[in-house]
Amino acid sequence: MVPHLTTALNGPLLELEKRFLDAAPDIERWLRSQWQEHTPPFYGSVDLRNAGFKLAPIDMNLFPGGFNNLSADFMPLCVQAAMSAIEKICPNAKSLLLIPENHTRNQFYLQNVAQLVNIFRMTGLNIRIGTLIPDIQAPTPVELPNGQSLLLEPLVRSGNRLGLKDFDPCAILLNNDLSAGIPDILKNLDEQFVLPPVHAGWAMRRKSNHFAAYDEIADEFAQLIGIDPWRINPYFSVCKHIDFHGRQGEECLADSVNVVLALIRQKYQEYGIEETPFVIVKADAGTYGMGVMTVRSADEVIGLNRRQRNKMSVIKEGLNVSQVIIQEGVHTFERVEKDGKAGVAEPVVYMIDRFVVGGFYRVHGERGIDENLNAPGMHFEPLAFETCCSLPDCQQTPDAPPNRFYAYGVVARLALLAAALEIERTEPSEEAL
């Protein structure tokens, strides 16, 4: 299943994809040199938007929860990449403790957990699941719709190590983004690897830090292959001390929207783009598409009504929003058709270690090309990628599936590299944890 680009502005993107193809040896060599200097996040997923004139990341998730949406064809890539990641961190590893989110009623998320268990078991690891849910005081089986089952077990802390009863793992894999904060039981685990580190969770992480690092990566990469970095990089700004209920920070928000929109208009004029510029205002921390709004004019953020303020003021775990990122909106001109129905789509690329291991399309039949697709009513197309994102075919046209997906994989890996810098630069002192 290959999406259709519905815009006539695919000429520039074809040119961008051709640049990626022509420079593929240089790109891979440059990325390889970067990974010699920086440690990639253990895993991650990147939401991309393909505007026809621009291909850019809009979000980077360091605790990806959709491995169940990947095609089964990608399983060998996942296992191989997981082996590489584990060998680098703990070559003699025999056991792994997986700590998931507390979503025991979310069957889709639990299927993701089951898929992670399958991947790491196939690497030769003994993997078990520890839960942060305080009500679970004994091993508790959870049945899945596909007939599989998961066994959730209470965590046991012993000094500076964390495990389960009669289970002392070599490493701890977090699939919990710590939106509600870092629990004491996860602090100061000096004798075990915690992957990703706890400061990569939303209790401490900020999207603006990530995109500040991405600015640097995009500039260097653009110079390498001779393109305008804007073609792969969204403008952004940040507003702090926001209180949507108290209407505090509206002036900062309006000013930032004006600044970013002006920058976009300048680029649209330069490239002869006739689309309407827009920005996405979203919480600087958090996920699940909460606290997000599309804005086309600064007037739209002045005097928000009660419903809008309620929507923007709270994110996952009921946390209040006090800081927002104003990010250049990137249109998506991709549509996926299935069973006679079409929906606006955006690619999501998954990585383990430094390797692209697959992806899918997030599709929403009721959202527009300038709206957030990570919202109720979305669905995933796990068979969307006919090929993986790492094998371009120079004998085919630039927009052939393997070449378009190679372009996706390149931009996703740039975001992964930015996340590596972000994690390095935001590492707190032991006292702070």
Side-chain angles (χ1 to χ4, degrees):
M1 180 182 298
V2 178
H4 299 287
L5 278 174
T6 60
T7 176
L9 292 171
N10 55 8
L13 185 62
L14 292 179
E15 186 270 333
L16 180 62
E17 291 168 336
K18 189 175 189 306
R19 289 287 185 97
F20 286 174
L21 289 176
D22 292 343
D26 293 333
I27 291 171
E28 298 304 325
R29 185 164 51 248
W30 180 79
L31 283 169
R32 190 166 61 248
S33 70
Q34 294 295 316
W35 294 129
Q36 291 173 356
E37 299 180 16
H38 306 286
T39 301
F42 189 82
Y43 55 6
S45 65
V46 180
D47 295 351
L48 301 175
R49 300 278 283 206
N50 182 351
F53 52 82
K54 181 169 186 156
L55 174 62
I58 58 169
D59 225 340
M60 172 83 221
N61 187 354
L62 294 176
F63 301 86
F67 278 93
N68 56 306
N69 295 315
L70 299 180
S71 166
D73 294 338
F74 292 138
M75 179 62 80
L77 291 176
C78 292
V79 173
Q80 187 176 25
M83 283 182 176
S84 174
I86 290 292
E87 287 172 0
K88 285 195 308 183
I89 296 164
C90 189
N92 298 319
K94 297 180 181 178
S95 56
L96 181 70
L97 175 64
L98 172 62
I99 300 180
E101 297 276 359
N102 294 353
H103 303 321
T104 54
R105 296 182 181 179
N106 186 328
Q107 294 293 320
F108 294 107
Y109 174 73
L110 291 175
Q111 289 173 36
N112 158 75
V113 175
Q115 187 73 326
L116 283 171
V117 169
N118 292 337
I119 289 170
F120 286 97
R121 277 183 179 156
M122 293 182 71
T123 69
L125 289 172
N126 177 17
I127 179 170
R128 289 166 65 177
I129 305 171
T131 181
L132 291 167
I133 300 174
D135 292 341
I136 293 183
Q137 298 292 320
T140 303
V142 177
E143 301 299 324
L144 303 183
N146 61 3
Q148 286 185 280
S149 65
L150 299 173
L151 185 66
L152 305 183
E153 302 182 68
L155 295 168
V156 177
R157 178 76 181 246
S158 178
N160 289 336
R161 297 186 69 85
L162 183 64
L164 309 173
K165 183 180 179 182
D166 301 322
F167 183 72
D168 185 21
C170 306
I172 298 163
L173 178 61
L174 292 179
N175 198 241
N176 184 312
D177 64 23
L178 306 178
S179 291
I182 303 172
D184 290 340
I185 201 169
L186 291 180
K187 295 178 180 179
N188 302 314
L189 295 173
D190 303 330
E191 301 176 8
Q192 291 165 298
F193 289 101
V194 180
L195 311 164
V198 292
H199 73 273
W202 289 121
M204 302 179 68
R205 187 182 180 220
R206 297 296 176 265
K207 296 175 184 179
S208 51
N209 288 334
H210 173 77
F211 283 100
Y214 186 79
D215 274 348
E216 299 176 33
I217 297 300
D219 286 349
E220 185 175 344
F221 178 80
Q223 186 174 359
L224 173 74
I225 69 170
I227 63 170
D228 179 351
W230 176 76
R231 302 279 302 283
I232 57 171
N233 189 15
Y235 290 123
F236 77 95
S237 182
V238 181
C239 276
K240 302 179 181 180
H241 311 299
I242 295 288
D243 181 350
F244 284 101
H245 283 308
R247 297 187 182 278
Q248 295 178 11
E250 283 188 349
E251 185 176 341
C252 171
L253 193 52
D255 289 345
S256 295
V257 168
N258 271 329
V259 168
V260 176
L261 284 175
L263 291 171
I264 302 170
R265 290 191 190 100
Q266 185 177 352
K267 282 295 182 182
Y268 279 20
Q269 185 175 9
E270 178 183 341
Y271 283 95
I273 297 165
E274 297 180 358
E275 303 297 331
T276 301
F278 69 101
V279 299
I280 298 294
V281 177
K282 55 187 174 182
D284 202 19
T287 183
Y288 288 172
M290 301 177 71
V292 180
M293 66 183 298
T294 298
V295 176
R296 301 170 188 83
S297 166
D299 295 338
E300 297 177 25
V301 298
I302 299 295
L304 296 175
N305 62 39
R306 179 178 295 180
R307 182 173 178 272
Q308 291 170 318
R309 295 200 308 272
N310 288 339
K311 174 186 174 184
M312 292 299 298
S313 63
V314 178
I315 55 174
K316 184 183 173 187
E317 305 290 352
L319 300 178
N320 289 327
V321 174
S322 60
Q323 183 167 310
V324 297
I325 181 172
I326 299 90
Q327 187 180 62
E328 174 187 352
V330 181
H331 299 82
T332 176
F333 289 112
E334 300 203 58
R335 297 177 68 83
V336 168
E337 297 182 8
K338 185 177 182 181
D339 300 329
K341 297 181 180 179
V344 174
E346 63 187 14
V348 184
V349 176
Y350 273 60
M351 292 160 289
I352 298 177
D353 194 55
R354 66 187 189 276
F355 304 105
V356 173
V357 297
F360 52 81
Y361 279 88
R362 178 183 287 115
V363 185
H364 204 301
E366 299 177 1
R367 291 289 175 112
I369 62 174
D370 59 356
E371 293 183 286
N372 170 38
L373 303 188
N374 189 6
M378 68 178 174
H379 68 278
F380 305 107
E381 294 295 346
L383 301 178
F385 290 132
E386 290 188 345
T387 67
C388 69
C389 302
S390 56
L391 294 175
D393 185 349
C394 294
Q395 303 303 313
Q396 297 191 52
T397 60
D399 62 338
N403 297 334
R404 173 147 295 163
F405 299 151
Y406 177 68
Y408 293 165
V410 168
V411 176
R413 285 182 288 165
L414 296 180
L416 189 74
L417 179 56
L421 269 65
E422 172 197 357
I423 290 173
E424 291 172 12
R425 295 171 179 176
T426 57
E427 182 174 5
S429 63
E430 291 185 10
E431 291 78 11
L433 290 175

